[in-house]
Amino acid sequence: MPVVSAELLLMLMPLAAVIAILLGRQQQRLADARRDNADMRRTMLTLDAAFDEVPVGLAVLDVDLRYVRINRLLADINGLPAEDHIGKSLHDVVPEIAPAAEIRIRQVMTTGRPLVDFVFEGATAALPHQRRIWRESLHPVFDGAATLLGVRVVVEEITEQRRLAAALLDSQRREQRRAIELEGLMQAAPAALFLATDRECRRVKANPAAERLLRLRRGENPLHDTPGGRAFAVYSGATLLAHDQLPLLRASATGEEIRYESLT
């Protein structure tokens, strides 16, 4: 076995120390890298879960307008499995809406500014014969060197909201027409008419014939014990009727139809 002299040991010890330090640093870097990789894996899993579970459609397109990533919701809207989108262009997946979509995406890539909350209509393979409405936002995606990598797409379907809004507007218009027709009828009718607009008859409208009959001022309530009302003594035969016995109050409170009552 060779014998190492003391002088050689003294010469090698600094080198050994340097090697030990370098090895220690390398081991630390490896440990840090393993920890960073583990953190990255956890982050990626979290991002994957968030990407798929958000209640809006999400996709990432590269500069050639090809799908790099898409979540399940937007894939369902397009009518194609998520994995079948990857590498395909907009024109491959949604040919009907692709031309208009491409114009907006090119605008975002050219300006570098997002385009937010615009509404568009179209049909996809999921429901090819049904026009649907979406609200969409487009955001440019850059790397650390400010190089454009593509565009992030956020899509929310609002077909049902628009349908309900249109139905509500139609209902309001019908009610307005009915109110105008009723007002015309009230004004033209030669007989006295009273219309209660609430169950307690606190708001009662009289037509011109009724106002002349009872000598009411315009808008004056013909029922006593109500705001703006005038006290009238109303008899059925020889019986003085209490406020809640008046035909209009009874009909409003009970829903019963009251006909041919003789009042004085």
Side-chain angles (χ1 to χ4, degrees):
M1 180 177 181
V3 178
V4 180
S5 67
E7 291 81 0
L8 183 57
L9 283 174
L10 289 174
M11 293 174 60
L12 293 175
M13 282 180 65
L15 180 59
V18 171
I19 292 173
I21 291 172
L22 293 176
L23 287 173
R25 289 178 177 175
Q26 181 64 23
Q27 290 173 344
Q28 184 62 46
R29 282 195 292 269
L30 289 173
D32 290 344
R34 284 194 292 268
R35 184 169 57 255
D36 290 344
N37 286 337
D39 291 343
M40 185 176 295
R41 283 195 297 271
R42 284 193 293 270
T43 300
M44 290 302 296
L45 288 173
T46 301
L47 290 175
D48 284 343
F51 201 84
D52 280 331
E53 297 303 326
V54 290
V56 294
L58 292 177
V60 178
L61 304 175
D62 64 18
V63 292
D64 296 320
L65 305 189
R66 294 187 179 276
Y67 286 92
V68 177
R69 185 73 187 275
I70 187 169
N71 72 346
R72 188 181 305 110
L73 179 57
L74 186 51
D76 290 342
I77 290 175
N78 291 345
L80 196 67
E83 58 271 16
D84 290 347
H85 284 71
I86 307 307
K88 292 183 178 179
S89 71
L90 278 174
H91 293 272
D92 295 329
V93 177
V94 283
E96 180 176 333
I97 62 179
E102 181 173 358
I103 293 172
R104 293 187 291 267
I105 294 171
R106 295 293 184 193
Q107 176 185 338
V108 170
M109 291 194 296
T110 300
T111 64
R113 294 193 297 269
L115 191 58
V116 179
D117 287 343
F118 61 88
V119 175
F120 69 99
E121 298 184 24
T124 68
L127 295 168
H129 304 297
Q130 180 177 326
R131 302 290 293 180
R132 300 159 76 185
I133 307 172
W134 297 276
R135 180 165 48 234
E136 185 171 271
S137 296
L138 303 171
H139 300 264
V141 178
F142 299 97
D143 64 10
T147 301
L148 180 69
L149 300 179
V151 173
R152 184 176 72 253
V153 182
V154 182
V155 178
E156 179 185 8
E157 183 167 359
I158 57 172
T159 306
E160 185 63 14
Q161 293 95 311
R162 286 298 181 95
R163 186 192 68 78
L164 292 175
L168 177 59
L169 182 59
D170 287 343
S171 176
Q172 291 172 338
R173 287 172 175 168
R174 286 195 300 270
E175 291 302 319
Q176 289 172 351
R177 287 195 297 269
R178 289 171 182 167
I180 292 172
E181 292 169 358
L182 179 59
E183 179 66 22
L185 176 63
M186 292 278 289
Q187 293 295 321
L193 297 176
F194 300 94
L195 177 65
T197 59
D198 65 296
R199 190 179 182 87
E200 291 77 22
C201 296
R202 294 188 176 276
R203 294 182 297 276
V204 177
K205 180 179 178 61
N207 71 340
E211 290 172 345
R212 289 192 297 270
L213 176 67
L214 299 181
R215 296 190 177 90
L216 296 171
R217 295 187 298 273
R218 188 68 180 268
E220 189 175 19
N221 195 324
L223 297 179
H224 61 286
D225 294 339
T226 57
R230 191 199 301 181
F232 286 94
V234 180
Y235 290 84
S236 177
T239 304
L240 176 64
L241 297 182
H243 180 69
D244 59 359
Q245 293 176 323
L246 296 175
L248 188 61
L249 271 295
R250 284 161 43 204
S252 178
T254 65
E256 67 176 301
E257 184 176 328
I258 302 172
R259 290 174 173 265
Y260 309 122
E261 286 219 5
S262 178
L263 303 175
T264 57

